[in-house]
Amino acid sequence: MEHLINPKVKDIQISGIRKISNLVSTYKDALTLTIGQPDFPTPQHIMDAGKAAIDAHKTTYTPNPGLLELRQAAAAYVSGKYGLTYRPETEIIVTAGASQALDITLRTILEEGAEVLLPGPIYPGYEPLVRLCGGIPVYVDTRHNGFKLTAELLEPHITEKTRCIILCYPSNPTGRVLSSQELADIAALLADKSIFVISDEIYSELIYDQSHTSIAKYDGMREKTIVINGLSKSHSMTGWRIGFTFAPESISQHMVKVHQYNVTCASSVSQYAALEALTNGVDDALPMKEAYVARRDFVYDRLVHMGFELEKPEGAFYLFPSIERFKLSSMDFTMKLLEEQRVAVVPGDAFSSFGEGYIRISYAYSMEVLEKAMERLAAFVSKL
């Protein structure tokens, strides 16, 4: 019966990140720097709120777009943090993580043949969703621009078929952040164009050297932008699966239809935990961010000392060093490092063909693990 499977699904490949992570599990003595998951536990007060929701039997369906009080808390959160204004009743949807938020957004705005502009390299979760919608991913090479998708790079790729641009900053895998001026330039470029912007801001609370700015704040951008965020990175709630979409009512009213038939609603228990996160845990990310800064600086300095060329990340928890000087493909480098030194990283080609020649290192791990991994990496490259 496999010949009857949707060809778009058959063509999708398992994420290179997961392939490596699954492989690493067979190496019991390996140090893994692969997964972008905070190593901090979910804050206790959030877990207590989830337990309380269970004890209070709050385990039924919620409204399709989510608990109104949670949407109100989300509205207050992005208003206070980022100066964004959205009506809880009609412009916010609570989703099963940011991934499902992306899914319902793309299914709402794309049709067969629509082009979506993406920065390359990029997290591998976008392209399959675009293709499942019949869209055409169009990559913009950012390798020689500090991994930043700017107006200057975007403009030549915009055609009459361009339906959407995906901005995902802070970036996975590079950790780069767009400046206020770079965002303003993109807003000016799109001012007279009927093109959607999906702004994936899941790492918005993990910016180190500046404040987060959303492109939705710029003149003329709110009405064409869908902001996506969630609690996985900011509150170490990856398994709770809570994300959000923030978009004008004219867009949200259609997205919620897709959401309704997709998952009905996000987990009720997780929503009550999320309500606690966004009310009494507004600054829960701060101690994690301080730890990430120290880890970033340590790993970055070690890599530079080893002779790697790389951009210093301003956010998220990844570094993306070049390995071109070693004359190995990113997969060969990754496998040799794993086999010889038992250190696992992600090959750059997992992040599109524009990631070839790089590796991604996650520093969402304890300093003890990072210190040991850097020692092993130094020993490895010294012999290449």
Side-chain angles (χ1 to χ4, degrees), residues 37-53:
Q37 175 167 268
D39 66 322
F40 300 95
T42 302
Q44 187 63 47
H45 70 102
I46 298 174
M47 293 195 290
D48 290 342
K51 295 173 188 176

Side-chain angles (χ1 to χ4, degrees), residues 273-346:
L275 178 60
E276 172 69 18
L278 293 184
T279 51
N280 296 317
V282 171
D283 292 322
D284 278 351
L286 292 180
M288 290 187 280
K289 184 163 71 169
E290 290 177 4
Y292 290 139
V293 169
R295 297 174 187 182
R296 174 199 65 173
D297 291 346
F298 168 75
V299 178
Y300 176 82
D301 289 345
R302 287 301 308 273
L303 291 173
V304 170
H305 184 72
M306 292 178 213
F308 284 96
E309 294 183 4
L310 72 160
E311 299 285 348
K312 189 171 186 178
E314 301 104 335
F317 34 62
Y318 310 104
L319 296 115
F320 205 60
S322 170
I323 58 165
E324 286 189 357
R325 72 185 180 94
F326 300 111
K327 308 302 181 184
L328 292 170
S329 71
S330 58
M331 179 57 78
D332 287 345
F333 184 99
T334 297
M335 291 308 302
K336 283 177 66 69
L337 177 60
L338 181 60
E339 291 283 351
E340 296 179 15
Q341 289 292 335
R342 295 297 194 266
V343 174
V345 298
V346 182

